[in-house]
Amino acid sequence: MKNILKTVLTGILISASLISCQSDMTSLNEDPKHPSVLPSENLLATALFQSSYYMDNPSVNFNNYRFFTQQWAEGQYPQETQYDLVTRNQPRNHFNRMYVYSLNNLRQAKENLKNEVETEDVRTNKMATLEIEEIFIWENLVDTFGDVPYSEAFKPNEILTPKYDDAKTIYVDLIKRIDAVIAAVKPSAKGYGSGDLVYAGSMPKWVKFANSIKLRLGINLADVDPTLAKATVESAIAGGVIASEDDAYKFKYDGNTFSNPVFDNLVASNRDDFVPSEIVINTMNSLSDPRMEKWFTKVGGIYKGGVFGELNDPYSDFSHLNDYFRSSTTASNLLSYAEVNFLKAEAAARGYSAGGTAVDLYATAVTSSMKENGVADVTIATYLVANPYNAVNWKQSIGVQAWIAMFNKGLACWNFTRRLDNPTLVNPPKSNLSSVPYRMPYSDQEYVLNGANVNAAASKIGGDKATTKLFWDKF
């Protein structure tokens, strides 16, 4: 594993550009110890690290999901909680990490894999692994930006300025791709080895993950295309989704070559700027939530959150994230067992066949989050009695509990709050926007390099604004 991790750094440098040129004289200077064509396994490892690290990164320079859901507040520099998405170029940075450093490596891995010596079944499974990971990143891009370059992307010899595809059209295609790749998997054959830094080559787990992405896509479609949503969700659940914490999509950091991004931003960088918001502290306090003890420190014997959108200084006056989140080896849990259970509970509440009633699946979802965070069974039972499922207002019931459970799982949390509108997030008084953000604006570089297409995309959705809702966020 360490050899793969070390080579990942080389892979980033070699594969960062979307266009490569090769001289006829290259073969005279080949170094067999440092091949110019990286094995697909190394490129997969690079993509897994890049996508996981930057989807989970709490830096104010990247995705800002934790601020979009108002679960973190800032200390000395509150601009990002005031939704300043311009100064630090967050849209550009996230766009580039997903396209250049993640998707591009997977596309190159697919090309390189074609020329590698493998049995056909193993090659099929390796290609399936690359495809499922690629679909996962495309889903992140669509759920972050909306319409994005898709069908014409990664064709540098043909198209230098790719069009922006309709977000729903991409969704429909991703669902088709999931069905196709699951059907292609050879369950009895191996996949990748040490370069698979998530599932270590377990194809049954990759299939469960693929179905779980499909479940997430289907639920997001519920308010815009109920028929497709129901069929997609029911098919995903029947096919087998993540069924335990062991199945969850987790990128595991070794704390040496790679460290958890929260650790890097809160500990390694010696920052004293991020605190849990009073919104999350007050909500969990009102519910007597036992996860607070695991997650937060106390100040003067109480939990005290920072005011979202305001300067919260001095740092010592507020609760901090506990050591639970501050380890260099904490995995990035980007599609968790708890999330899948909340998605199933929502599916049942919407009248879909989800493998149980909304009441039971809600209890399972809350329980799985509690167990993930080390809460005892008797405490979980007490919590469920005090906070039962409310069928009359199921969006609030599921929405608030999912928002809590997805703490430190940024995109998953943002999807729940946008789709269910619970809890109610209030635009801070000093906000730079007219409302809370519903999408990330497009990268500023796109207006320079791909101006006609990004302007057309912006016009199509009514303006490239963070306050413009995604196609599936109807209410």
Side-chain angles (χ1 to χ4, degrees):
M1 180 175 177
K2 285 189 175 180
N3 289 335
I4 290 289
L5 292 173
K6 289 177 181 177
T7 312
V8 164
L9 299 178
T10 305
I12 293 171
L13 295 175
I14 291 176
S15 61
S17 173
L18 291 178
I19 305 173
S20 63
C21 299
Q22 191 172 37
S23 166
D24 291 337
M25 302 295 291
T26 299
S27 60
L28 300 179
N29 298 301
E30 286 182 353
D31 180 353
K33 294 185 179 180
H34 299 89
S36 58
V37 179
L38 279 174
S40 63
E41 187 163 28
N42 298 72
L43 292 164
L44 169 64
T46 302
L48 290 171
F49 165 69
Q50 288 288 324
S51 58
S52 297
Y53 188 90
Y54 288 100
M55 285 182 192
D56 196 27
N57 200 310
S59 169
V60 294
N61 298 302
F62 286 94
N63 58 59
N64 290 178
Y65 295 139
R66 292 168 177 82
F67 299 143
F68 294 166
T69 58
Q70 300 188 356
Q71 292 185 324
W72 284 26
E74 290 180 285
Q76 302 173 51
Y77 311 104
Q79 290 89 341
E80 286 71 40
T81 54
Q82 295 166 359
Y83 299 136
D84 175 359
L85 302 176
V86 177
T87 301
R88 294 182 179 273
N89 295 312
Q90 295 97 329
R92 177 205 303 179
N93 295 334
H94 189 69
F95 187 90
N96 287 347
R97 287 293 167 180
M98 294 302 106
Y99 272 97
V100 180
Y101 292 87
S102 302
L103 287 174
N104 181 52
N105 279 295
L106 294 171
R107 289 300 179 96
Q108 189 60 55
K110 287 181 175 180
E111 289 302 311
N112 293 4
L113 177 60
K114 294 174 183 177
N115 298 315
E116 293 172 4
V117 178
E118 294 288 2
T119 66
E120 280 309 304
D121 282 0
V122 170
R123 190 190 314 278
T124 295
N125 282 351
K126 288 185 173 183
M127 193 66 74
T129 300
L130 299 171
E131 172 75 350
I132 294 167
E133 177 64 15
E134 183 178 320
I135 291 167
F136 184 51
I137 298 168
W138 281 121
E139 184 247 334
N140 175 276
L141 282 163
V142 176
D143 287 347
T144 300
F145 295 100
D147 295 5
V148 291
Y150 178 72
S151 62
E152 293 183 354
F154 301 102
K155 297 180 179 179
N157 295 325
E158 306 168 39
I159 302 170
L160 295 177
T161 54
K163 70 177 182 180
Y164 278 59
D165 290 85
D166 174 74
K168 185 182 178 184
T169 301
I170 299 174
Y171 251 54
V172 172
D173 191 57
L174 293 179
I175 293 167
K176 291 179 180 177
R177 288 173 66 176
I178 290 171
D179 288 341
V181 72
I182 288 174
V185 167
K186 308 297 182 182
S188 60
K190 296 180 180 179
Y192 280 104
S194 57
D196 179 355
L197 302 176
V198 175
Y199 290 125
S202 172
M203 295 315 298
K205 289 186 179 181
W206 276 104
V207 169
K208 289 181 182 179
F209 173 54
N211 273 318
S212 300
I213 301 170
K214 184 177 176 181
L215 171 62
R216 188 193 263 180
L217 293 169
I219 285 291
N220 279 346
L221 288 167
D223 291 328
V224 68
D225 193 335
T227 302
L228 177 59
K230 184 174 186 293
T232 301
V233 166
E234 292 181 348
S235 171
I237 294 171
V241 293
I242 288 170
S244 70
E245 194 58 34
D246 188 54
D247 293 336
Y249 181 95
K250 297 178 183 178
F251 185 91
K252 305 168 185 68
Y253 302 93
D254 66 357
N256 181 14
T257 307
F258 296 134
S259 296
N260 176 275
V262 176
F263 167 86
D264 282 348
N265 280 271
L266 269 64
V267 180
S269 63
N270 294 313
R271 289 190 67 93
D272 56 357
D273 190 34
F274 301 127
V275 298
S277 73
E278 65 175 4
I279 304 166
V280 75
I281 292 290
N282 293 347
T283 300
M284 294 179 76
N285 255 331
S286 70
L287 301 173
S288 299
D289 196 310
R291 286 167 289 193
M292 297 183 76
E293 181 182 347
K294 307 287 184 180
W295 292 354
F296 311 125
T297 62
K298 289 183 177 180
V299 179
I302 64 169
Y303 297 107
K304 183 180 179 183
V307 180
F308 187 83
E310 298 290 341
L311 184 149
N312 296 285
D313 197 42
Y315 181 68
S316 58
D317 283 357
F318 301 92
S319 292
H320 305 152
L321 292 180
N322 229 329
D323 289 344
Y324 184 84
F325 295 118
R326 299 165 70 91
S327 168
S328 63
T329 58
T330 297
S332 289
N333 194 348
L334 297 175
L335 215 168
S336 64
Y337 178 48
E339 180 185 354
V340 167
N341 285 325
F342 276 106
L343 292 171
K344 290 170 69 176
E346 182 178 339
R350 292 180 181 275
Y352 304 168
S353 177
T357 66
V359 175
D360 290 343
L361 290 170
Y362 165 86
T364 299
V366 172
T367 298
S368 59
S369 174
M370 294 280 185
K371 284 186 173 293
E372 178 188 343
N373 291 284
V375 178
D377 290 347
V378 64
T379 306
I380 298 171
T382 300
Y383 184 85
L384 285 169
V385 170
N387 301 284
Y389 175 71
N390 181 355
V392 175
N393 194 352
W394 65 265
K395 285 190 175 183
Q396 180 187 56
S397 198
I398 294 174
V400 171
Q401 289 296 332
W403 178 75
I404 295 171
M406 296 302 108
F407 186 84
N408 204 44
K409 298 178 175 68
L411 180 67
C413 188
W414 196 26
N415 279 351
F416 277 106
T417 60
R418 287 182 291 178
R419 192 175 58 249
L420 298 179
D421 299 305
N422 276 284
T424 302
L425 302 179
V426 178
N427 199 29
K430 297 177 183 177
S431 176
N432 288 272
L433 305 176
S434 59
S435 76
V436 297
Y438 296 109
R439 61 179 289 273
M440 185 88 84
Y442 292 128
S443 165
D444 61 315
Q445 286 184 331
E446 281 289 279
Y447 285 92
V448 177
L449 302 174
N450 194 14
N453 287 309
V454 71
N455 276 296
S459 177
K460 172 179 174 290
I461 63 174
D464 183 14
K465 298 174 289 189
T467 54
T468 300
K469 291 189 174 185
L470 297 185
F471 79 97
W472 52 256
D473 186 9
K474 300 297 291 183
F475 303 110

